[in-house]
Amino acid sequence: MAQIPASSDRQFSADTEIWYSLKCAISTSSGFQRWQLERDPQLQGIRLEQQVQRYLRETLETLAY
């Protein structure tokens, strides 16, 4: 008998796809690339996903200030 995915499973899948698309768009933006150049030594060995998260956090903190 086939399993029907729960709505929470579909939502998780959609959220994952959205995050992937956002991460790709952000990582190719000029602002992100400039941010990477400014912090190059600090970002050694950090996954792209973590870099995007840090970039977003710092950007939002700056805007909130």
Side-chain angles (χ1 to χ4, degrees):
M1 186 156 107
Q3 270 189 320
I4 299 172
S7 63
S8 62
D9 291 342
R10 287 190 299 264
Q11 181 63 42
F12 179 76
S13 177
D15 290 348
T16 301
E17 288 178 32
I18 291 168
W19 170 241
Y20 178 79
S21 295
L22 283 171
K23 182 175 61 174
C24 290
I26 291 167
S27 66
T28 59
S29 72
S30 60
F32 179 78
Q33 292 173 2
R34 185 174 49 251
W35 177 85
Q36 277 185 312
L37 288 173
E38 293 170 357
R39 287 159 184 77
D40 186 54
Q42 299 170 0
L43 300 176
Q44 295 299 322
I46 298 177
R47 293 186 346 249
L48 180 62
E49 181 162 347
Q50 292 172 312
Q51 290 180 36
V52 170
Q53 289 173 352
R54 185 181 292 183
Y55 170 74
L56 289 173
R57 186 180 324 108
E58 289 182 18
T59 301
L60 289 174
E61 287 172 354
T62 300
L63 291 173
Y65 179 72

